[in-house]
Amino acid sequence: MNNEELIRLCKQGNRQAEKELFFRFAGKVLSICRRYASSEQEAKDYMQESFLQVFENIKKYKSDKGEFEGWLFKVCTNKVLDILKTNKKNIRIVYMEILPDALENTNDGIEELIPIDDLLHCIQSLPNGYRT
């Protein structure tokens, strides 16, 4: 089933179509949510909230205004940012007492040596304000 047919069925409230839409785009939405989350579980929570928002607003999607994926990602990103804004009062800023020295020698291409999972873990461990 193509995306247009799937979206049409979702607009009609077809639960099976909603399930298929979820599984079709869950991986991409989860990767967006991981950028803002401090843990994998938090990213999954953001993804769930995002899809609830998508299904509540899918009738507002107009195919002549742009691709569905773009609309979906915008809705998800906005939902995560709304959640973060709501929880902003819980953001704790931690100042380091001793700052590391600036690197004197930079190694070009070192970013290719860092495993992506390690980099993602480092990003997720940042305080909410910096991570956002």
Side-chain angles (χ1 to χ4, degrees), residues 47-97:
M47 180 180 71
Q48 179 180 352
E49 292 296 323
S50 295
F51 271 106
L52 288 173
Q53 188 79 24
V54 166
F55 293 131
E56 286 177 14
N57 293 300
I58 198 158
K59 290 181 180 179
K60 295 178 182 178
Y61 168 70
K62 306 287 186 217
S63 60
D64 60 337
K65 301 277 184 179
E67 293 292 323
F68 177 73
E69 266 188 66
W71 179 84
L72 172 74
F73 298 158
K74 182 177 180 181
V75 169
C76 294
T77 301
N78 288 342
K79 182 61 181 179
V80 171
L81 292 175
D82 285 345
I83 292 169
L84 292 172
K85 189 185 305 180
T86 300
N87 296 334
K88 189 175 184 178
K89 60 184 171 238
N90 297 332
I91 294 175
R92 203 179 75 214
I93 298 175
V94 178
Y95 295 101
M96 296 174 55
E97 292 180 20

Side-chain angles (χ1 to χ4, degrees), residues 106-114:
T106 58
N107 295 325
D108 291 335
I110 195 165
E111 64 275 358
E112 295 172 6
L113 300 175
I114 301 171

Side-chain angles (χ1 to χ4, degrees), residues 25-38:
F25 292 103
K28 292 179 181 180
V29 171
L30 184 58
S31 66
I32 291 171
C33 295
R34 282 181 178 138
R35 295 177 192 164
Y36 299 99
S38 58

Side-chain angles (χ1 to χ4, degrees), residues 6 10 16-27 29 47-48 51 55:
L6 195 59
C10 287
Q16 186 62 32
E18 289 176 351
K19 183 178 178 181
E20 187 173 333
L21 184 90
F22 173 83
F23 285 116
R24 188 172 290 182
F25 292 103
V29 171
M47 180 180 71
Q48 179 180 352
F51 271 106
F55 293 131

